[in-house]
Structures are given as structure tokens and as C-alpha cells.
Amino acid sequence: RLPFAYKLHLLLCDVEKNGLDQIVSWVEDGNAFKIHDRRKFEVVIQPRYFRQSKMASFIRQVSKQECE
């Protein structure tokens, strides 16, 4: 099982390569990311990388990473 942070980084690199960065992308300086289309993120992107399917679960995981 891959760590959450690794999967998130992989997701962000993959969406850029696959032209899905209109849904989620790195911000300009590369130190953060932004979800541009929450609905598409939940339906198209999130299930490909994470077991949880709800945005609240994803946000909790991101918040947990910030504390570690």
C-alpha cells in the first residue's frame, strides 16, 4: 500500500501528463495544488488513486499530512 503523499504526488504528475489539469493541478510555484472542478475531481480523478470517494475524506487525509 502506497503512502497517501506519494499517491497525491503521482496523481498531480499524471493529470498534467494526461491533460486533466483543468480538474486539479499544481499551483504556479509548485508548492501546493488546487482543485479547479470539485465534482470532476470526485468522479474522475479521486477513484483512480484513492479508496475513499468523498471529498471530506480526501480533505482529512490532506490535513493529516500537513500535521505530520
Side-chain angles (χ1 to χ4, degrees), residues 2 4-26 33 41 44-50:
L2 297 172
F4 178 85
Y6 181 84
K7 290 191 279 186
L8 179 58
H9 188 270
L10 182 63
L11 174 158
L12 290 163
C13 291
D14 286 351
V15 295
E16 193 171 52
K17 285 186 230 171
N18 295 318
L20 297 171
D21 52 349
Q22 75 278 5
I23 299 172
V24 60
S25 67
W26 292 107
F33 67 95
F41 181 81
V44 176
I45 305 296
Q46 196 172 350
R48 293 182 187 181
Y49 297 89
F50 305 105

